[in-house]
């Protein structure tokens, strides 16, 4: 903080992304600081905090920019399908809660914990890599988990979720929309 590293990081990002608004860059850096704090609270070793902050800040900005671009494209192509109303938000929250409740009921702790991390990341719009999930689940379960195990458990978890949705009658997987099957 005394060296004004965060201010310098925003300036560096301004040079890399000159079209960005300052608030977007500052938000990305703030998110990086938050993620570093979470990692340190978990007891995770962060070898080079400056590199960690820079990497996360750049990734956060790029993800945010990509989401904005996708949203603008979707709005141009199908404005009637975008509904940011309170009702729509409540429905999304209810769906996420139902999925979390289902996942929490699973007996297999490995699949359950992996899928809870993925559901949270999807709910917050923050994609995570298998390596990140492995680190989080390793902390939760108290054992070393590999990224390849995470990928297998994610695949199994997605199948369990698909079965849950189909059995609950939440999706008619036989119907097609826009030329593609929902399943």
């Amino acid at each position: 903080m005394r060296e004004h590293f965060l201010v310098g990081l925003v300036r560096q990002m301004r040079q890399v992304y000159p079209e960005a608004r300052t608030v977007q860059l500052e938000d990305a850096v703030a998110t990086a600081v938050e993620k570093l704090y979470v990692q340190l609270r978990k007891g995770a070793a962060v070898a080079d905090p400056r590199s960690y902050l820079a990497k996360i800040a750049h990734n956060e900005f790029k993800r945010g920019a990509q989401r904005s671009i996708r949203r603008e494209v979707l709005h141009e192509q199908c404005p009637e399908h975008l509904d940011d109303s309170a009702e729509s938000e409540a429905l999304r929250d209810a769906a996420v809660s139902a999925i979390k409740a289902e996942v929490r009921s699973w007996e297999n702790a490995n699949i359950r914990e992996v899928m809870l991390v993925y559901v949270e990341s999807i709910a917050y719009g923050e994609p995570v890599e298998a390596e990140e999930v492995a680190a989080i689940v390793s902390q939760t379960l108290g054992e070393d988990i590999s990224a390849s195990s995470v990928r297998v458990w994610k695949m199994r978890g997605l199948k369990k979720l698909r079965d849950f949705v189909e059995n609950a009658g939440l999706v008619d997987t036989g119907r097609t929309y826009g030329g593609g099957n929902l399943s």
Side-chain angles (χ1 to χ4, degrees):
M1 294 301 285
R2 279 177 262 176
E3 297 171 10
H4 304 287
F5 173 75
L6 300 177
V7 173
L9 181 55
V10 171
R11 285 186 187 137
Q12 176 196 30
M13 291 177 67
R14 163 70 58 218
Q15 291 175 347
V16 175
Y17 310 107
E19 73 287 351
R21 295 188 323 239
T22 302
V23 70
Q24 292 172 305
L25 300 173
E26 290 172 347
D27 285 349
V29 171
T31 300
V33 170
E34 180 182 353
K35 287 186 177 191
L36 174 63
Y37 176 76
V38 168
Q39 290 298 316
L40 295 174
R41 291 265 318 189
K42 290 180 185 176
V46 178
D48 185 358
R50 290 174 184 234
S51 294
Y52 181 89
L53 287 169
K55 179 181 177 187
I56 297 296
H58 282 275
N59 288 343
E60 284 299 315
F61 176 77
K62 287 188 266 185
R63 281 188 203 122
Q66 289 169 346
R67 281 192 300 271
S68 294
I69 290 168
R70 279 193 301 263
R71 185 158 185 79
E72 289 173 18
V73 169
L74 280 174
H75 187 67
E76 289 173 7
Q77 293 175 351
C78 314
E80 68 279 4
H81 293 297
L82 291 179
D83 181 10
D84 291 330
S85 68
E87 179 183 3
S88 178
E89 189 67 31
L91 288 172
R92 276 191 292 274
D93 290 345
V96 169
S97 294
I99 290 170
K100 284 181 187 177
E102 170 62 20
V103 171
R104 285 188 187 109
S105 74
W106 295 350
E107 291 183 29
N108 185 308
N110 297 330
I111 296 172
R112 180 182 62 235
E113 295 305 321
V114 164
M115 289 308 294
L116 284 172
V117 172
Y118 277 111
V119 169
E120 280 292 322
S121 74
I122 291 167
Y124 287 112
E126 299 293 329
V128 291
E129 299 294 327
E131 292 77 13
E132 294 174 86
V133 176
I136 293 167
V137 173
S138 293
Q139 288 284 326
T140 303
L141 296 178
E143 59 185 81
D144 285 334
I145 305 295
S146 70
S148 61
S149 294
V150 165
R151 289 183 193 96
V152 170
W153 295 331
K154 175 185 174 187
M155 184 179 64
R156 291 177 185 167
L158 289 173
K159 181 178 179 340
K160 286 177 71 82
L161 277 178
R162 187 172 28 255
D163 293 345
F164 166 70
V165 169
E166 289 173 3
N167 292 333
L170 299 174
V171 173
D172 178 5
T173 57
R175 294 177 60 185
T176 59
Y177 297 90
N181 192 301
L182 254 179
S183 60

